[in-house]
Amino acid sequence: MPRPLCSSTALTALLLTAAPALAQSTSAESVLRIGMTAADVPTTTGMPNNGFEGMRFLGYPVFEGLVLWDLSRTDRLATLRPGLAEKWEQAPDDKKTWIFHLRQGVRFHDGTAFDADAVIWNLDRYFKQDSPQYEPPAAGITRARAPLLAGYRKIDDRTVAITSSGPASYFPYMVVYLLFTSPASFEAAGRDWAKVGMLPAAGTGPFRITGVRPREAVELARNPGYWDRNNLAKVDKVRLMPIPEANARIAALRAGQVDWIEAPAPDGLASLRQAGFTITTGSYPHVWPWFYNIGAANSPLKDVRVRQALNYCIDRDGLVTFLNGTAEPAVGWLKASDPDFGAPQNRYRLDPERGRALLAEAGFTDKRPLSLKVMISTSGSGQMQPLPMNEFLQENLKQTCNVDVSFNVVEWQVLLNAGRAAPDSPSLQGANALNVSSPSSDVAVMARYFASANVSPKGFNFPQWTDARFDAALKELAEATDPEAIARATRAAHERLVDDPPWLYIVHDLNPRAMSPRVKNFVSPQSWFVDLNRVSVQ
């Protein structure tokens, strides 16, 4: 049975009680207050936990990478742009090595210089277990996001080389997740990462951390010395507040305690609009699935017919209606309209007859129904509305294909940790599937979620899924340089993700947010991330 959850009434009362501490500054400073979906503030050492919500608010705004996302447009998927590296290229004599030319004149928030030594120090922090600065939680996150990184070296003060385990045309899309913290922060905290997070730590970004209150808030302030003088932040301060319950976030917005909330409850959108609040939505590379646990001993999901059957048993259109149109049906890792979707043999839709037939072929009938235990979260980055959505699916699967589903409800970070566990790990508590939302932004993400070389705990291939044709297509596109060859191989790879599904594909989120009319100039890019620099508060 799901564990008891704090009610929205109780959470709202807590917020109201805390109102004096969270009230808008009485000075002339502009303060943007954001209600996150996380149950706690993300970690603040420079590689935040809590998934991509942590990266969204306590990653890129504070701690940057050699490569950054271009979040300036809404009419296309976010692409890469130069960050702490002005440019990069593959080494002319080695396709596995990339050369990064560092930007000059960049300083951390503490005034120390960003240079090649700082890059190597941070990479040792993630990838060298015997280094004094090795940080196991941050290393686990980083290694899973950049599983191909095999080595690195300093060429000179302004140049570093990073080597992948094999040729990978998409390797810069992994480098984008390597963030950099000032080595001086580690020394100032007595070489204790737990203390670094409360210093606070220094990055190079447009905002700096000024205060950390676990379970309550993180305070950011504009960095007036930011290296990109054309992209200085418009607000003076940002306050990030964890409010995991959707209706409590709405109550906080209505009460004027926050200016911006992530993932408002869909049934509250109409009334928020009527009250003058701004609702933003937009397509972005996101899929809300169940990860099948194929690798566990005696898993019924080892049989591809079961995995396909479930994809024919769910009512995606009904769930979209239930979500008040804030999502669209998912019939693959990519959207069906994506040019790289390909032409798979299976085009999933609600087809209980076909689903039941496939289950029967696999030995599951009304007399011996399929039973699944799914680990889900109470909230979290990209998790949309996990409790009501999963309850919808539970009833849906029982009615259409007589599948019995039970849930183990945990906090978001616990679920993320489970996604990097071995298939029979005690931490999974016997789960046959995990409900973890996923980016679908680029081939690098595809590789780390589905390549056989990246099975958990090394990478994000939690299902322990292997498909020779997928791996062959991935190898082809990794070694290719011609865009048409890369596109052709990407389509072939995605076709295998549909026909031999490692996941139950459910919906693509439309990324709803609700904001006070005081919030201006927000751009909703086709990305998990946002550019807080552009936003102003009037």
Side-chain angles (χ1 to χ4, degrees), residues 32 34 56-57 69-79 231 234 260 262 278-284 510-513 515-516 519-537:
L32 174 65
I34 299 176
R56 180 184 300 141
F57 294 126
W69 292 102
D70 181 355
L71 304 173
S72 62
R73 298 176 59 170
T74 62
D75 59 344
R76 68 179 186 191
L77 287 176
T79 55
N231 199 28
K234 303 295 189 299
W260 160 337
E262 298 284 285
T278 300
I279 306 299
T280 68
T281 59
S283 174
Y284 76 123
L510 289 182
N511 208 13
R513 294 182 170 96
M515 299 180 181
S516 161
V519 177
K520 305 295 184 182
N521 304 314
F522 171 72
V523 172
S524 183
Q526 291 189 40
S527 170
W528 279 64
F529 310 110
V530 296
D531 186 353
L532 291 180
N533 297 3
R534 298 169 171 269
V535 179
S536 61
V537 177

Side-chain angles (χ1 to χ4, degrees), residues 225-247:
Y226 185 46
W227 57 266
D228 187 351
R229 306 307 296 171
N230 295 321
N231 199 28
L232 295 176
K234 303 295 189 299
V235 296
D236 296 301
K237 294 182 178 180
V238 176
R239 181 178 296 129
L240 303 169
M241 300 158 54
I243 309 175
E245 209 278 327
N247 287 317

Side-chain angles (χ1 to χ4, degrees), residues 169-170 333-334 338-344 440-444 446-447 450 469-470 472-478 480 482-498:
S169 58
Y170 49 81
W333 187 67
L334 296 172
D338 193 296
D340 290 330
F341 187 89
S440 53
S441 54
D442 54 81
V443 172
M446 178 189 284
F450 303 115
R469 290 162 62 185
F470 174 86
L474 189 65
K475 183 176 185 295
E476 180 182 344
L477 70 88
D482 176 59
E484 290 187 9
I486 291 173
R488 182 172 59 252
T490 303
R491 290 193 297 271
H494 189 264
E495 288 168 2
R496 298 307 302 153
L497 293 179
V498 177

